[in-house]
Amino acid sequence: MSDLTYTIIEAIPRVLLLVVGVLGLIFSIKRRAKGVSGLMVGAFVVMLVATAASIVWQFVVSNVSSWVASGQLSGDELRLIFMGVGVPLDAAALLSWLLVAIAVLKSGRPSRQPGVAPHPGAVNYPMAAQPGFPNPRPGHIQPGHPPDQHPEAR
């Protein structure tokens, strides 16, 4: 088999990762309105860019034997090139995993936005009627108010 065939076979897992990343990005954008963190969207974007770059780099590296045969690059120069490309790709992959972890941690916390009604399963829900308003449940009188002041008690 040729170098290109080996490179294509080695790239298959990264292409699958790219497909999963695209699906994750689509689902995270669609669910953004339902409370999915923007960090999750950013994590998928970083992952897609890093994965695409690693696929391209894998095809560039498949030609490394001709680089060595040309004699224009020394071993140290090749090592420097590989480190210069490998470290940013690994850093981008690490960043995408870090963003996913932060987004997952953040999604587990309740939202504390002002003006947002509590979840129906929350404690003390439904809330008692406010003074001056009729009690929403017939037959129940709000504590601290005499029964003759409520319209329902008359």
Side-chain angles (χ1 to χ4, degrees):
M1 287 202 279
S2 69
D3 287 341
L4 182 62
T5 306
Y6 283 121
T7 303
I8 290 172
I9 291 171
E10 290 173 355
I12 289 174
R14 288 188 176 118
V15 171
L16 292 175
L17 184 61
L18 198 62
V19 169
V20 169
V22 168
L23 290 174
L25 180 66
I26 290 169
F27 288 132
S28 63
I29 289 173
K30 282 185 178 181
R31 300 200 186 228
R32 179 81 174 99
K34 294 181 182 178
V36 171
S37 172
L39 285 174
M40 189 70 76
V41 176
F44 279 114
V45 169
V46 170
M47 185 181 70
L48 287 173
V49 169
T51 304
S54 71
I55 291 171
V56 169
W57 177 243
Q58 193 168 10
F59 281 99
V60 170
V61 169
S62 69
N63 201 17
V64 78
S65 59
S66 67
W67 297 357
V68 174
S70 71
Q72 295 177 354
L73 294 173
S74 69
D76 288 338
E77 291 170 334
L78 281 173
R79 217 173 290 130
L80 186 63
I81 290 170
F82 279 98
M83 188 179 68
V85 174
V87 169
L89 286 177
D90 288 342
L94 178 67
L95 178 64
S96 70
W97 281 106
L98 183 65
L99 289 175
V100 167
I102 292 171
V104 167
L105 287 174
K106 187 178 175 184
S107 69
R109 295 183 183 158
S111 175
R112 298 189 182 205
Q113 299 171 353
V116 177
H119 187 270
V123 179
N124 297 330
Y125 190 84
M127 296 169 42
Q130 299 297 317
F133 293 96
N135 200 327
R137 296 174 288 183
H140 292 85
I141 298 173
Q142 195 171 14
H145 294 280
D148 58 348
Q149 291 181 356
H150 285 283
E152 301 151 3
R154 293 182 191 171

